[in-house]
Amino acid sequence: MTPPVPAPFARRSFLAGLGAIGAGALLAACSEGTSGSSDAAPAAPTPHPGPPTTGTPVRGGTLRVGVLSGGSAEVLDPAKASAWPDWPRIRALYDPLFRTVPGGIEPALAESAEAEDTAASWVFRLRRGVEWHDGRPFTADDVLYTLGLWAGEGHNYGPTAQAVIDFAGVRKLDSHTVRIPLLRPMAEFPSLTANFNALIVQDGATDFERPVGTGAFAYASFEPGRSSTFTAHRDHWGGEGRHVDELVFDSSFTDDAARANALRSGALDIVSDLSYTQAAILADDGDVVIGNSPGMAFQAFVMQVDQPPFDDVRVRQALKLLVDRPAMVSQTLAGYGTVGNDLVGKTLPHYAEDLTRERDVERARSLLREAGHEGLRLTLATNTGRVGFVEAATLFAQQAAEGGVEISVRKIDPGQWDAQRANEPLNMASWAGSASLTYFYATALGGDARNSETHWPAERGRDLLADAMGELDEAAAEEKWRAVQRQQFDEGGYIVFANRNYVDGYAPAVRGVTTDASGSTNNYDYSRAWLAS
Amino acid sequence: MTARPQLPPLARFLLARLAGGAFTLLLAATLVFLATNVLPGDIAHAVLGANATPELVASVRADLGLDEPPHRRYLDFIGGLLTGDLGNSSAALAQGNVLPVADVIGTPLRNTAVLAAITFALFVPLCLVLAGVAASRVGGTVDRLLSGGTIAAAAFPEFLVATVLISVFFDALDWLPPLAAVPEGRTPLDDPLALVMPVTTLLVLCVATGFRLVRAAAVEVLAEPYVDWARLNGVPEATVLRRYVLRNALAPAVQAFAEVARYLFGGVIVVEAVFAFPGIGGLLVRGISVNDVQQTCVIATVLAVLYWAINTLADLAVIRLVPRLRTEASR
């Protein structure tokens, strides 16, 4: 499946052990006694959009964005994008059919999408008057060509699209209308087109070293692992944008502190996906504005439900009851987050806010006793490259010990993580960027889900899920999604212990970009950015 | 009787070193190849991430030649090195792009060389002067201050020194920029002010290491009878220090300098990262983090070449400095 945008890489570093979060977690753990409460936690940082949203836009200037390096693997091709700095770059060059906004999506290259009868087929009406960077008009042929790429080999969005779209039936109805039939009804299908790997490329495009897009910025130069320069696409359909002349991405940073210093010294205007350690430091700096918003991004422990001992639902329930969630948020995310309740999709439509779980060590003990797993010993695999992962694993080991479960933490380097985690019955996950529950559940739990992290069996709840995904009636959909989430809440393999906030740093002059529930820096949409003098 | 045409001793020494060096480098390249190829996980997974289907992984592995037997890949790698073909970045190749490693490492290598050269040029005189001053006043206040200070400084990790410098000269005084990024098409020398903090950080650590070694050597020489003789013969103190003490203390000092030079090329990863300086250390780290096998192997081998060159230069310098060794080298 296509990534939802993966979680930011922590600076895996020499500094990590001494990072404020790590040290904070240690100190708090020491001072906490046995209650496991989070009394000692610092006051949680308050959500804030960041830059002011008032003022009259001024044209001109260069917007400089700092991202952590993805090295030689960085690309400008939506089909291949997977390194961290790829997302903001391709989002600047290309547009999606629908774009992510707080709580859902809004039309971008599509003007509308209508479900035909059962939502098993969709008619996309495309925006007219849109120009590619080379001056050619945007038409249905571009969409058909892009869909053709999804249907083929080697496209990162292919597996997701191929599980959903009936490619044989895709038809151009006229120059700006396309019918897309699906393999099964999906009421929130347009939200799947908001994925970054699903950005629309030009009919016949094969050269992604000098890409031509419809995006608010056009290609000028690119050096993988170093930097890129894009110039404003003055005829961008967005109209309101086009304020800055130039957009520069500097992806030469390997250390988040250096990136934060670059912002403080005025060498950068935006640092997206700031580490919480640096955010806490920058929050005290009067020359920097911090944006901080809750969203659907989550941190979770993942149990593979077909592997012992997690094939016993009581063990899964016991582990969920052992987590001290407030402590997780305050100590592994420095307060930049909210407690998770083992469900994914906070802030998205149909998310079941009322299902919440509190720690209950006694109940956990008795469940384990019933299951014959007293004195359970587990290994928890964690990725040293992800924000807060090692801290969370270490803290969970302490918390689980209070319930008689002995957890040893296995640290895995980011380069080995994707290859090795499949063999780890208890591991960790972090997602961001899903625009709907359909997107997450279809890719993570659906019958043919390729990213089935929990190994949730295809037949279990398949009908529940298909029912919910296909329901066009809002009220009925709410009920059906509740049933899906209830099942996951009770039996699923995700221990979602926290929802992590999106946190970005801005120079005081930045306008037209904020941090909201859609993702870091408006989900990397810089089309409206301008610089106050 | 006619002697066979005999090479000068120094040339013979060099030849021997070259032969030994070639063997050492082959060994180093082999070890690096083994280490990077034995690591669990592979580039295909690292680059494809969550998108890795077995088919995609297989096709990327085929593109990279990873489906070839290891001995084949090893011979290709070594053969490439010998013919000056450094190959293409594995990470870029996995993404369908061709990015010659030679192009990738050029600028970072130059940047690191600039940083190392400036630091080294400042380090040598500074170290000699401080060690000389301390050695000529052994046990005095100055000596104790310098010795104590450098022992303390040697215990500081680089990032601590760098962070302290940043908080003083950027946060508090706002005299210096906290980063030494080098924009495209520029050289580190275009913005000398930005180099002040990285160079200072490195100097602190280099001097802390070098000072003790050179001071110890100087103290030893100062206790030699010939120094007393020179003084008793009325040779001025400055001349004694320069001609007798410094000259004889230099031989051991050169080894300390070589150690510092090696550190400046291979060990500055932290300083590069903290100041966002685009050098070879950072490139090495980035390559390793995505399992960029080819790039990692080449950089490690290049560093091995540099280490060998530094060691050879240091040995040559010692031979020049110690007359006795010049004749020994010819035996």
Side-chain angles (χ1 to χ4, degrees):
Chain A
M1 61 138 265
T2 333
V5 177
F9 276 76
R11 273 318 73 213
R12 54 154 320 182
S13 55
F14 6 95
L15 312 185
L18 288 156
I21 291 182
L26 268 172
L27 288 176
C30 295
S31 63
E32 218 177 84
T34 51
S35 73
S37 78
S38 50
D39 295 345
T46 329
H48 186 278
T53 47
T54 53
T56 312
V58 187
R59 188 158 153 168
T62 297
L63 185 73
R64 300 154 304 170
V65 182
V67 275
L68 292 175
S69 187
S72 304
E74 293 177 12
V75 289
L76 299 179
D77 179 357
K80 308 260 176 150
S82 65
W84 191 245
D86 293 342
W87 310 119
R89 282 203 179 106
I90 58 173
R91 183 63 190 87
L93 293 171
Y94 298 95
D95 288 311
L97 290 171
F98 281 82
R99 65 177 164 197
T100 311
V101 292
I105 53 169
E106 69 177 23
L109 284 181
E111 239 159 16
S112 67
E114 291 122 47
E116 296 187 308
D117 45 68
T118 62
S121 177
W122 285 79
V123 173
F124 281 71
R125 292 185 204 289
L126 307 178
R127 195 176 293 274
R128 287 168 191 272
V130 174
E131 268 189 16
W132 291 93
H133 297 153
D134 62 4
R136 281 168 55 182
F138 161 73
T139 69
D141 292 328
D142 301 310
V143 175
L144 288 187
Y145 178 75
T146 306
L147 260 66
L149 296 179
W150 300 351
E153 280 289 300
H155 196 296
N156 282 356
Y157 192 62
T160 302
Q162 288 161 23
V164 173
I165 296 174
D166 174 13
F167 283 104
V170 173
R171 290 288 178 278
K172 170 166 120 177
L173 301 184
D174 65 40
S175 70
H176 285 82
T177 313
V178 176
R179 171 185 284 133
I180 304 178
L182 306 183
L183 297 169
R184 55 171 180 254
M186 210 171 247
E188 293 181 310
F189 173 67
S191 68
L192 268 64
T193 68
N195 185 282
F196 280 178
N197 285 121
L199 292 166
I200 303 297
V201 302
Q202 197 173 37
D203 185 15
T206 51
D207 176 11
F208 293 95
E209 293 189 13
R210 300 185 61 83
V212 174
T214 56
F217 295 90
Y219 170 86
S221 73
F222 173 50
E223 274 205 53
R226 292 222 51 189
S227 74
S228 62
T229 303
F230 302 154
T231 51
H233 177 36
R234 295 286 177 209
D235 298 319
H236 186 243
W237 54 270
E240 61 191 324
R242 318 183 304 232
H243 302 310
V244 294
D245 291 333
E246 223 175 31
L247 175 62
V248 170
F249 290 103
D250 183 339
S251 60
S252 62
F253 296 95
T254 54
D255 183 75
D256 207 39
R259 196 171 63 126
N261 282 337
L263 176 69
R264 295 164 65 214
S265 71
L268 291 176
D269 300 307
I270 293 180
V271 292
S272 53
D273 304 287
L274 203 51
S275 74
Y276 301 134
T277 319
Q278 288 305 319
I281 295 169
L282 288 183
D284 297 330
D285 191 316
D287 296 332
V288 170
V289 181
I290 299 288
N292 169 21
S293 170
M296 69 71 62
F298 69 86
Q299 310 271 97
F301 302 116
V302 175
M303 301 175 284
Q304 295 177 346
V305 301
D306 56 350
Q307 299 295 314
F310 307 113
D311 51 352
D312 187 325
V313 70
R314 290 168 296 192
V315 173
R316 305 203 289 271
Q317 288 165 343
L319 284 194
K320 288 177 181 180
L321 288 166
L322 284 174
V323 190
D324 181 348
R325 295 151 203 267
M328 282 287 177
V329 172
S330 69
Q331 293 172 30
T332 73
L333 299 179
Y336 288 96
T338 49
V339 295
N341 287 297
D342 304 329
L343 291 175
V344 171
K346 200 173 169 69
T347 73
L348 296 178
H350 308 308
Y351 176 76
E353 283 282 356
D354 59 321
L355 295 176
T356 61
R357 183 168 272 130
E358 302 229 334
R359 192 174 199 219
D360 189 339
V361 177
E362 278 322 303
R363 195 82 216 288
R365 274 185 186 279
S366 73
L367 278 167
L368 288 171
R369 210 166 23 241
E370 279 173 39
H373 279 298
E374 275 175 298
L376 185 63
R377 291 172 163 226
L378 299 168
T379 299
L380 169 57
T382 188
N383 182 344
T384 58
R386 289 283 172 86
V387 170
F389 266 31
V390 175
E391 293 87 345
T394 312
L395 190 56
F396 185 40
Q398 293 172 14
Q399 295 171 354
E402 290 164 31
V405 177
E406 190 185 312
I407 293 180
S408 60
V409 175
R410 175 176 298 160
K411 294 179 191 171
I412 298 179
D413 282 345
Q416 271 85 59
W417 175 251
D418 283 303
Q420 288 193 16
R421 68 182 287 224
N423 307 322
E424 299 286 348
L426 181 60
N427 62 61
M428 293 185 68
S430 175
W431 290 40
S434 286
S436 64
L437 291 192
T438 297
Y439 187 92
F440 173 77
Y441 281 92
T443 51
L445 295 164
D448 30 31
R450 202 157 56 78
N451 201 36
S452 179
E453 298 172 312
T454 59
H455 295 191
W456 186 254
E459 62 289 352
R460 284 278 294 145
R462 179 164 51 188
D463 295 343
L464 280 182
L465 187 56
D467 242 21
M469 288 200 297
E471 184 55 65
L472 280 166
D473 180 75
E474 278 298 306
E478 186 79 9
E479 277 306 302
K480 291 176 173 178
W481 274 114
R482 197 173 187 293
V484 170
Q485 293 174 85
R486 178 88 233 178
Q487 186 185 42
Q488 284 301 310
F489 182 78
D490 291 336
E491 302 168 28
Y494 282 104
I495 308 176
V496 179
F497 56 84
N499 292 292
R500 61 180 172 82
N501 288 7
Y502 301 113
V503 179
D504 308 301
Y506 302 88
V510 174
R511 300 286 186 280
V513 188
T514 56
T515 304
D516 62 27
S518 70
S520 167
T521 57
N522 299 129
N523 211 23
Y524 310 123
D525 187 344
Y526 302 126
S527 63
R528 293 171 293 262
W530 56 284
L531 295 165
S533 38
Chain B
M1 180 184 97
T2 52
R4 276 186 303 145
Q6 186 132 38
L7 286 167
L10 212 56
R12 282 202 294 161
F13 167 79
L14 264 182
L15 274 180
R17 285 305 293 252
L18 277 174
F23 177 74
T24 312
L25 290 177
L26 182 66
L27 196 67
T30 306
L31 287 176
V32 166
F33 179 87
L34 282 176
T36 47
N37 281 274
V38 162
L39 279 179
D42 68 45
I43 177 84
H45 272 105
V47 170
L48 294 171
N51 298 302
T53 55
E55 304 84 58
L56 267 180
V57 169
S59 90
V60 166
R61 287 180 60 86
D63 288 348
L64 290 169
L66 289 177
D67 47 358
E68 302 254 340
H71 69 271
R72 198 52 234 245
R73 283 186 281 139
Y74 171 73
L75 290 178
D76 283 350
F77 171 64
I78 298 292
L81 287 181
L82 289 176
T83 55
D85 174 11
L86 304 184
N88 297 309
S89 153
S90 314
L93 218 51
Q95 290 284 48
N97 296 329
V98 175
L99 195 63
V101 173
D103 294 357
V104 182
I105 65 173
T107 309
L109 206 53
R110 179 205 67 190
N111 292 344
T112 297
V114 169
L115 187 62
I118 294 174
T119 310
F120 197 70
L122 294 171
F123 155 75
V124 170
L126 188 63
C127 184
L128 288 178
V129 166
L130 290 181
V133 167
S136 58
R137 294 165 178 76
V138 174
T141 315
V142 176
D143 179 35
R144 272 182 298 169
L145 275 178
L146 282 172
S147 299
T150 50
I151 285 171
F156 293 150
E158 290 118 322
F159 78 84
L160 185 62
V161 177
T163 308
V164 168
L165 286 176
I166 289 174
S167 61
V168 172
F169 292 103
F170 170 65
D171 288 328
L173 301 170
D174 203 10
W175 288 352
L176 297 169
L179 72 161
V182 182
E184 265 347 297
R186 308 281 295 277
T187 78
L189 295 172
D190 290 339
D191 189 2
L193 216 53
L195 288 178
V196 174
M197 283 207 272
V199 167
T200 310
T201 306
L202 292 171
L203 261 185
V204 167
L205 298 152
C206 294
V207 169
T209 312
F211 169 84
R212 282 175 302 157
L213 295 167
V214 179
R215 176 188 167 280
V219 167
E220 208 169 287
V221 174
L222 274 168
E224 294 284 346
Y226 57 77
V227 174
D228 288 337
W229 275 110
R231 283 187 177 140
L232 289 172
N233 282 325
V235 179
E237 185 64 16
T239 312
V240 170
L241 281 179
R242 201 178 61 239
R243 185 173 298 164
Y244 298 93
V245 180
L246 185 63
R247 182 82 192 250
N248 287 295
L250 262 182
V254 163
Q255 294 305 341
F257 296 165
E259 191 180 321
V260 164
R262 286 195 298 269
Y263 160 77
L264 285 175
F265 266 104
V268 295
I269 291 166
V270 176
V271 174
E272 286 184 3
V274 171
F275 293 104
F277 183 81
I280 199 73
L283 193 69
L284 182 64
V285 170
R286 288 204 291 275
I288 292 172
S289 70
V290 291
N291 289 354
D292 195 327
V293 175
Q294 182 69 18
Q295 188 174 309
T296 305
C297 283
V298 169
I299 294 176
T301 309
V302 167
L303 290 179
V305 171
L306 282 169
Y307 280 26
W308 171 81
I310 290 167
N311 289 344
T312 305
L313 282 175
D315 288 349
L316 275 177
V318 171
I319 290 173
R320 292 294 303 158
L321 289 166
V322 184
R324 181 166 43 88
L325 291 180
R326 254 176 268 168
T327 48
E328 275 178 9
S330 66
R331 276 214 299 267

